[in-house]
Every structure is written in structure tokens, then in C-alpha cells.
Amino acid sequence: MLFDKDMQEILYSEEQLKARVAELGAQITKDYAGQEIMLLSVLRGAFVFMADLARTIDLPMTLDFMAVSSYGKGTSSSGQVQITKDLTEDISGRHVLVVEDILDSGNTLHYLLKILEQRHPASIKVCTLLDKPDRRVKPVHVDYTGFTIPDAFVVGYGMDYAEKYRNLPYLGILKPEVYGG
């Protein structure tokens, strides 16, 4: 692919991602058996993951989206969180599964969960594709984790650097010289 030259290494292949997403979907289907759930994607990075995950869950569901930012155009969290797109549906009394691309500092997800809890869902759980525990600043409980990764700058499978690389079918570690790291 065009951007392969920018990768330090491929962290997870398209096949590895597909297999792990299917495992997560099967576990979610089992855990929520007999219930309807709402998948809430945190835009933009989680949209590819949520689309694939939704197709592996055998339950009635609705989908909604929020955009929350703490990064701006940089490569690390600023710690200042803001909602840039809110939900279109009421979550009161609903079983909400927040689908996140990567849990890094925890600032964004910690803030988001506090906001969502004030809207009185029946339950709220978190599914993240990637967890970077070495960078955690705020405590966040995660119910479903795809992969635990090292402290590296990853792109692909919906995740970006400067709005590029989202279309890669794999997850790669970006070379530091590409982002000035």
C-alpha cells in the first residue's frame, strides 16, 4: 500500500484484527443475551472497529456516534476534553456499549463516561480495540479489550495521524520521523 513505507512495523494484520473482533463480538453477544444494546462509537477513530464489531454481534442493536477530542492535531492528549458531536438518541434506560479505538491517558474516556452516566443508562460498558496502560493518567474500567499495546504511535484501521492512514486495513506503528517524534 501507499503508506507502508511510513510504518516502523505492522502491529496487527488485517487477519489478526478480524479474528479478535469476532471473538469480542461473540463475548458481547453472550454477555448481553436477551437484551437490546446501543453501540456508541467515539468518532472518528473507532468507526471502522465499530462497523466490524457490529456485524459480529448477534443481538438487536442501535448505533449512535459522539465526537470527543483531547488531541487536537498533536500526537498526545492535551488533557482538555470537549464534545464536538453529541448523541442523537436518548440513552436513558438503555444498555450502552461505548466502542473506543484506543484507551491511552484515559482523560477522554473518563470524561465521556461521567457525562454518559448523568444521562441514566440502564448499564454502560466499554469496549476498546487497543489499550495502552503505560500512558494511563485517569482510571477507566474497560469491559472488553482487543489488544494491549506498548507506548507507540499507531495508525490504521480507522486511526490516524493528521487525518491520514485511517484507510489502512492493518494497525501499524508509525515511524517517528513521519510525525516528528
Side-chain angles (χ1 to χ4, degrees):
M1 292 196 75
L2 176 64
F3 293 122
D4 290 352
K5 66 182 178 2
D6 295 345
M7 296 304 126
Q8 181 174 304
E9 71 177 278
I10 305 294
L11 198 55
Y12 296 104
S13 69
E14 184 174 4
E15 295 76 24
Q16 289 171 304
L17 289 166
K18 187 175 188 173
R20 184 64 183 128
V21 170
E23 291 169 0
L24 290 169
Q27 186 62 52
I28 292 165
T29 299
K30 180 180 172 191
D31 292 351
Y32 284 96
Q35 299 176 24
E36 179 176 315
I37 64 172
M38 171 193 272
L39 296 185
L40 188 167
S41 174
V42 181
L43 293 173
R44 295 183 198 156
F47 81 99
V48 172
F49 174 44
M50 187 173 89
D52 287 349
L53 182 65
R55 288 189 292 261
T56 68
I57 297 172
D58 189 18
L59 296 169
M61 75 174 66
T62 60
L63 308 174
D64 208 341
F65 301 88
M66 284 185 91
V68 183
S69 178
S70 69
Y71 283 82
K73 295 192 184 295
T75 61
S76 63
S77 176
S78 67
Q80 299 288 72
V81 182
Q82 68 180 122
I83 294 174
T84 57
K85 183 214 175 294
D86 209 340
L87 296 171
T88 56
E89 293 187 41
D90 180 14
I91 65 169
S92 179
R94 315 262 316 262
H95 296 286
V96 176
L97 180 62
V98 177
V99 179
E100 183 60 289
D101 56 350
I102 187 166
L103 177 54
D104 193 328
S105 69
N107 285 327
T108 302
L109 202 49
H110 180 79
Y111 172 83
L112 178 62
L113 291 172
K114 284 175 62 175
I115 296 292
L116 293 174
E117 287 166 1
Q118 294 171 3
R119 298 178 184 187
H120 309 292
S123 69
I124 187 162
K125 291 186 177 181
V126 174
C127 177
T128 187
L129 178 63
L130 302 175
D131 185 7
K132 245 194 234 186
D134 293 344
R135 305 245 324 148
R136 197 81 74 252
V137 174
K138 296 268 178 147
V140 176
H141 173 76
V142 177
D143 302 278
Y144 308 97
T145 301
F147 302 97
T148 300
I149 64 168
D151 185 12
F153 196 76
V154 296
V155 295
Y157 198 65
M159 288 172 262
D160 75 301
Y161 168 64
E163 295 302 324
K164 295 178 177 71
Y165 307 101
R166 291 189 194 276
N167 59 322
L168 295 175
Y170 57 79
L171 277 169
I173 296 176
L174 201 58
K175 290 178 181 174
E177 57 267 23
V178 174
Y179 62 91

